[in-house]
Amino acid sequence: EASAYFAKNEPATASALIESSLAKDPGNIQLLAAACRTYSDNGQYTNALALTQRILRLAPDDPNTLINQGCFQVQLGAFVDAVASFNQVLTLETNNPTALFYRAVALLRGDQLEPALKDYESLQRQFPKAHQIYYGLGEIAYRRQDTNTAIRHYEAYLTNSPPNNSESAFVTGRLQELKGVVPK
């Protein structure tokens, strides 16, 4: 029902429904998770983060919830907090590639290029055809003004990514810029 109100652009009504349901059973992790998902699906990341933190008070070492927390923190621009969330997951599960990838994203978005590079390179060794990793490596090289490395990674991105995704157009434009091609 709350999703329908979000779709009708009535977020206050949707939030009131969610909070009313949660008040009836505040310790129900499944209900908290469903409400969190509803908020997240509708771009309400502040509310999703608050519910995620409530879930973590009930289950503090749940890796998936910690990953969600970190992703919401990235969405909200809280990159340092996001890195801490992903670090907590990696303390619990040292080989969690999802946490490592999202930590690399948070580090990159927070302009922590050297640690981001280390994470992306570690992921690249595990997943040599993952286009998302080449995007991150390309961005790091681009920010460092390392044109040849950026071109190499962006080309690898295009080689390995699904055709016609929204990011491909951006990468193609970035490659043209780096190669000095004037757009038509």
Side-chain angles (χ1 to χ4, degrees):
E1 190 178 351
S3 293
Y5 278 107
F6 277 122
K8 290 173 45 177
N9 202 23
E10 295 182 31
T13 304
S15 293
L17 278 169
I18 290 170
E19 295 308 320
S20 171
S21 293
L22 292 174
K24 294 173 188 168
D25 195 359
N28 184 327
I29 290 180
Q30 288 79 17
L31 182 59
L32 285 163
C36 180
R37 189 171 35 261
T38 301
Y39 278 133
S40 175
D41 289 348
N42 290 283
Q44 305 287 315
Y45 300 117
T46 301
N47 292 339
L49 177 59
L51 291 182
T52 300
Q53 291 167 338
R54 284 175 60 181
I55 294 169
L56 286 170
R57 284 194 288 277
L58 299 169
D61 291 333
D62 181 66
N64 292 327
T65 305
L66 288 164
I67 287 172
N68 288 342
Q69 174 178 260
C71 289
F72 298 140
Q73 290 164 327
V74 167
Q75 288 293 330
L76 295 167
F79 305 120
V80 172
D81 293 338
V83 169
S85 294
F86 300 128
N87 283 343
Q88 192 172 351
V89 174
L90 291 166
T91 298
L92 297 168
E93 297 178 350
T94 56
N95 295 318
N96 187 314
T98 303
L100 187 62
F101 173 73
Y102 285 125
R103 183 175 74 181
V105 170
L107 289 165
L108 176 58
R109 290 195 184 169
D111 266 339
Q112 300 296 313
L113 301 184
E114 191 57 38
L117 178 64
K118 288 180 183 176
D119 283 355
Y120 278 117
E121 287 175 340
S122 175
L123 288 162
Q124 183 185 32
R125 286 189 290 277
Q126 295 176 57
F127 307 100
K129 293 195 179 285
H131 66 282
Q132 305 92 330
I133 295 166
Y134 289 107
Y135 180 86
L137 290 168
E139 281 298 296
I140 292 167
Y142 180 82
R143 291 185 192 181
R144 289 181 165 174
Q145 299 178 343
D146 183 350
T147 302
N148 291 336
T149 302
I151 289 171
R152 188 175 74 247
H153 289 308
Y154 286 137
E155 287 176 342
Y157 170 90
L158 291 174
T159 299
N160 291 289
S161 71
N164 302 320
N165 72 52
S166 59
E167 213 170 54
S168 292
F170 174 81
V171 170
T172 299
R174 182 63 60 85
L175 272 169
Q176 290 175 341
E177 171 194 336
L178 290 167
K179 292 178 178 181
V181 176
V182 179
K184 296 178 183 178

